[in-house]
Amino acid sequence: MLFDLPSDETLYDALIARSSEYEGAAFVCVKTTGVFCRLSCPARKPKRENTIFVGSIGACLETGFRPCQRCRPLATVGAKDPLVEDLLQALEAAPERRWSEGDLVRRGLDPSTVRRAFKRTLGITFLDLARHRRLGLAARQLAEGGRVIDAQIDAGYESPSGFRAALQRLLGDAPAAAQGRALLFSDWIETPLGPMVAVADAKHLYLLEFHDRKALPAELVSLKRQTRSAVVTGRTAPIDQIETELNAYFSGESNGFQTPLAAGGTAFERNVWAQLAKIPVGETRSYSDIAREVDTIRAVRAVAKANGSNRIAIVIPCHRCIGADGSLTGYGGGLWRKQWLLRHEAKLKPVGLFVEEMR
């Protein structure tokens, strides 16, 4: 950095104003979405408490944030330097290529000049950036059943231990654990009640939670363990579908959900969740009501625990379960959200809620 960044308050004001005053000198990392943007990004603005301001793209990448697809901070910064722009385009054209200093020399470039240019504009060297891209491709290769040694070599790691450490940081698992299994993909969905995190594979939705639920980190760990999979950022058809259905739900246009679910859980929990899904829109049931429906001799507390174990919020409507005295009782997303949802649904036409049969 050639100068110190102004205060976060000043940078947040610039973000709200979409100012280009700090173009290339400051970036915003959004904690709720996992992306980083230029301050002039046209996307919807995050809340102040969800922002982190840094002075280099390298710092964004190193802390796990990915570039925004709307303002494209990598391309924008690169455009200021023809050398950087040219190499970024070459990298996008062949992300699997194992770049070396020799490749740069053959393009008529001095490796030290390239290194300084990328460090100056992106805060990371070109060769490190290229390796990062190859690592992501290696993760997909393993998920498709590829051999660990092949993925290691393709990613450009001569040391197995170095490759394993890097891949573990990316996926949260060792390469052997990722081999031959499908990845789960995660993305965020904006709602009137705040962002929600959705996790799905190519066919089913596994998780839908409000981003600030305290149990979310533990749920993700449990989900990865139960499915023997890894969760990476990305989109699949179920995430697109549930986003469309949530938008219709919150706008009052529909109260039905047809996204295929993979709810998991024990047989008892699935039984409880199935009863929750039968509660008509605009109505509520007590925990004792649900206990009678599942015909169990277990205490009402067991039903409440199963209710709290639901990790597909709204679609499996655990918010419709209240205390016997009519009190709202607990809700993982916060009682204020539970109250909002019940008031919202009271305005909807009770045409029933269809939920795709859970796996």
Side-chain angles (χ1 to χ4, degrees):
M1 288 294 294
L2 299 179
F3 56 90
D4 293 331
L5 289 177
S7 67
D8 287 354
E9 288 69 25
T10 298
L11 292 174
Y12 187 72
D13 289 341
L15 175 67
I16 296 300
R18 297 181 180 176
S19 171
S20 59
E21 180 179 357
Y22 301 102
E23 195 74 18
F27 302 88
V28 59
C29 298
V30 185
K31 292 185 286 186
T32 51
T33 63
V35 304
F36 69 92
C37 307
R38 297 182 288 124
L39 301 191
S40 56
C41 181
R44 182 178 177 181
K45 302 307 178 186
K47 295 181 179 179
R48 170 65 185 87
E49 61 266 24
N50 295 328
T51 58
I52 302 172
F53 295 97
V54 297
S56 74
I57 284 181
C60 299
L61 294 172
E62 289 171 2
T63 50
F65 290 87
R66 64 188 189 279
C68 171
Q69 293 301 307
R70 293 196 64 180
C71 65
R72 300 177 63 84
L74 289 179
T76 301
V77 173
K80 293 184 176 181
D81 188 324
L83 183 153
V84 175
E85 181 183 17
D86 178 65
L87 286 176
L88 284 177
Q89 291 178 351
L91 180 59
E92 289 300 318
E96 74 287 349
R97 180 174 177 178
R98 295 178 59 186
W99 288 86
S100 67
E101 290 191 350
D103 294 321
L104 300 178
V105 171
R106 282 187 287 273
R107 294 174 71 94
L109 301 173
D110 176 32
S112 61
T113 300
V114 172
R115 184 165 50 252
R116 288 193 298 268
F118 269 80
K119 288 290 287 185
R120 181 173 60 250
T121 57
L122 300 181
I124 187 173
T125 70
F126 172 70
L127 295 182
D128 284 342
L129 182 62
R131 177 171 290 189
H132 177 79
R133 294 297 305 277
R134 292 198 306 274
L135 188 58
L137 295 177
R140 291 183 178 273
Q141 181 179 345
L142 284 173
E144 294 171 358
R147 296 193 307 162
V148 172
I149 185 61
D150 293 335
Q152 171 197 319
I153 294 174
D154 290 344
Y157 284 85
E158 296 181 0
S159 165
S161 59
F163 174 68
R164 289 174 181 272
L167 191 61
Q168 188 168 0
R169 287 194 297 271
L170 179 65
L171 298 183
D173 293 288
Q179 189 174 11
R181 70 188 189 193
L183 292 173
L184 296 180
F185 294 87
S186 174
D187 207 348
W188 71 97
I189 298 173
E190 291 289 348
T191 79
L193 299 182
M196 299 189 76
V197 177
V199 178
D201 61 13
K203 296 181 178 180
H204 295 86
L205 180 70
Y206 285 74
L207 180 145
L208 180 67
E209 289 282 20
F210 291 103
H211 75 288
D212 54 357
R213 183 179 183 183
K214 293 182 180 179
L216 179 58
E219 286 182 334
L220 290 172
V221 171
S222 176
L223 178 61
K224 290 192 291 185
R225 182 179 64 251
Q226 292 170 5
T227 60
R228 295 185 58 80
S229 187
V231 180
V232 298
T233 56
R235 281 243 165 183
T236 60
I239 295 179
D240 289 334
Q241 182 176 351
I242 193 60
E243 181 175 42
T244 298
E245 293 175 352
L246 282 173
N247 288 338
Y249 168 83
F250 281 111
S251 67
E253 299 174 4
S254 171
N255 56 27
F257 297 93
Q258 299 186 33
T259 302
L261 307 180
T266 64
F268 175 72
E269 288 172 335
R270 289 194 298 272
N271 197 1
V272 171
W273 298 338
Q275 295 305 318
L276 293 175
K278 294 179 181 179
I279 304 175
V281 174
E283 298 184 18
T284 59
R285 298 287 187 271
S286 69
Y287 294 108
S288 55
D289 290 334
I290 299 297
R292 286 192 293 271
E293 290 293 336
V294 299
D295 192 25
T296 178
I297 61 173
R298 303 189 191 197
V300 172
R301 184 177 299 177
V303 174
K305 182 178 180 182
N307 194 52
S309 298
N310 170 35
R311 59 187 178 215
I312 303 181
I314 300 181
V315 181
I316 299 177
C318 54
H319 59 278
R320 295 180 195 157
C321 206
I322 61 175
D325 60 356
S327 61
L328 292 182
T329 65
Y331 184 61
L335 288 182
W336 69 274
R337 287 193 177 106
K338 185 171 187 174
Q339 185 176 50
W340 192 100
L341 291 169
L342 292 177
R343 288 178 175 175
H344 173 67
E345 291 182 351
K347 304 174 186 177
L348 300 177
K349 294 181 180 180
V351 297
L353 179 69
F354 174 79
V355 178
E356 180 77 13
E357 182 178 356
M358 294 177 286
R359 287 203 314 178

